[in-house]
Amino acid sequence: MIARIWHGKTKVEDYEAYTEFINKTAIPDYSKTAGFVKLSFLRNIKNNEAHFTLITYWENLEVIKNFAGDDFEKAKYYPKDDDFLLEFEEKVEHFEVFA
């Protein structure tokens, strides 16, 4: 199994609105992809910014490509992210889950 980890940050005042957006848009998109296993959606406020970490779990790297495309290390963004995110990290991280 492979864990795919993405991080983003918003203004503190967008904390709840971005959470709602992730719940309504991103999570269903991940969930409908063949090979998706589960996810952990984490959030906190640090240094007066809202931070979001999304850890998704996939059967293997090939199924991640079904979701993210051939350049699977590139972060996937939604058009509405422009309304919230303070920056767009180019890459995500992948880890083999061994326990």
Side-chain angles (χ1 to χ4, degrees), residues 1 9 11-12 16-17 34 42 55 63-64 68 71 77 82 94 96 98:
M1 185 166 40
K9 61 184 176 177
K11 296 176 186 175
V12 172
E16 294 301 335
L42 313 171
I55 307 170
V63 299
I64 292 173
D71 188 3
Y77 291 101
D82 291 336
H94 294 91
E96 182 178 350
F98 68 92

Side-chain angles (χ1 to χ4, degrees), residues 22-77:
I22 291 289
N23 280 324
K24 288 184 176 179
T25 303
I27 291 174
D29 190 33
Y30 285 97
S31 300
K32 70 180 182 187
T33 305
F36 170 82
V37 177
K38 63 181 180 176
L39 63 78
S40 297
F41 178 29
L42 313 171
R43 66 182 190 164
N44 69 351
I45 295 174
K46 180 172 56 176
N47 299 324
N48 205 33
E49 295 175 323
H51 291 263
F52 297 86
T53 301
L54 188 59
I55 307 170
T56 53
Y57 299 89
W58 304 85
E59 291 175 359
N60 55 52
L61 285 176
E62 286 305 309
V63 299
I64 292 173
K65 291 178 184 178
N66 293 335
F67 172 76
D70 287 335
D71 188 3
F72 66 91
E73 291 183 330
K74 186 176 178 180
K76 179 177 177 177
Y77 291 101

